[in-house]
């Protein structure tokens, strides 16, 4: 845990992730893959010039997010974000669940302990419904 201003310490389990992250927009791997794919296509169209080559870092980044993306279809990616967003999740929580795709409530809570914080409205049934909705998207993708 790292010290923040005052007495508070950063603790992801309690959603104390620091002020710089509280309003930050996080992207799931599948969202980054869509963005980089689009950029890759644009770069390839412009690459008549052999000097205009795609960097190795860009290619490796694209390979990484594609490999670890649970959802490939752009509509599925949009639906995942919608489902997770309607459950009043912090961006950090949304991305962890969207990237790791837990199958059980216990698994989801182990990955994102803040789901069960006292002041939150996430009971086991709500978490299970959210996971089932995500599972259906994956099944029919």
């Amino acid at each position: 845990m790292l010290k923040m201003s005052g007495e508070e310490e950063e603790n992801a389990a309690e959603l104390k992730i620091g002020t710089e992250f509280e309003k930050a927009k996080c992207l799931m791997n599948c969202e980054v893959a869509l963005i980089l794919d689009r950029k890759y296509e644009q770069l390839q169209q412009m690459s008549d010039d052999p000097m205009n080559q795609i960097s190795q870092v860009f290619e490796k980044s694209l390979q990484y997010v594609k490999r670890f993306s649970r959802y490939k279809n752009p509509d599925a990616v949009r639906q995942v974000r919608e489902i997770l967003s309607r459950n009043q999740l912090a961006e950090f929580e949304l991305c962890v669940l969207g990237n790791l795709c837990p199958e059980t409530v216990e698994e989801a809570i182990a990955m994102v302990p803040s789901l069960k914080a006292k002041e939150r409205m996430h009971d086991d049934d709500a978490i299970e419904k959210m996971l089932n909705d995500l599972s259906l998207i994956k099944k029919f993708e």
Side-chain angles (χ1 to χ4, degrees):
M1 289 190 239
L2 301 171
K3 286 279 187 194
M4 293 187 333
S5 60
E7 292 295 312
E8 284 190 57
E9 293 182 356
E10 291 181 0
N11 183 343
E14 297 174 11
L15 266 187
K16 293 179 183 175
I17 54 176
T19 54
E20 62 273 13
F21 293 107
E22 286 175 2
K23 294 185 176 135
K25 182 77 168 178
C26 297
L27 295 174
M28 295 177 288
N29 289 335
C30 54
E31 292 171 313
V32 175
L34 291 175
I35 292 167
L36 292 183
D37 246 348
R38 207 167 296 136
K39 185 66 177 172
Y40 185 78
E41 289 171 12
Q42 290 172 350
L43 291 171
Q44 281 189 317
Q45 290 174 359
M46 295 172 21
S47 71
D48 295 340
D49 178 6
M51 297 303 287
N52 189 14
Q53 301 221 351
I54 297 168
S55 79
Q56 241 187 340
V57 171
F58 183 92
E59 286 194 36
K60 296 249 184 227
S61 299
L62 179 57
Q63 289 170 10
Y64 175 88
V65 291
K66 280 185 165 186
R67 181 173 184 204
F68 292 104
S69 292
R70 301 296 180 127
Y71 306 93
K72 311 290 187 216
N73 178 310
D75 287 332
V77 172
R78 182 186 45 75
Q79 289 175 330
V80 168
R81 169 122 348 228
E82 284 176 14
I83 287 167
L84 294 170
S85 293
R86 88 173 77 113
N87 283 281
Q88 287 90 40
L89 298 174
E91 286 287 317
F92 166 76
E93 295 170 314
L94 185 150
C95 286
V96 170
L97 294 174
N99 284 338
L100 300 178
C101 300
E103 294 180 8
T104 66
V105 172
E106 294 76 23
E107 214 179 351
I109 293 168
M111 291 175 188
V112 186
S114 56
L115 287 174
K116 291 301 279 186
K118 290 178 192 166
E119 65 278 0
R120 310 283 306 274
M121 302 295 245
H122 300 110
D123 62 11
D124 288 0
D125 292 338
I127 296 169
E128 187 169 5
K129 179 179 180 349
M130 179 175 57
L131 297 177
N132 287 339
D133 290 348
L134 294 177
S135 176
L136 279 174
I137 292 171
K138 185 65 183 156
K139 185 187 287 186
F140 293 109
E141 183 179 35

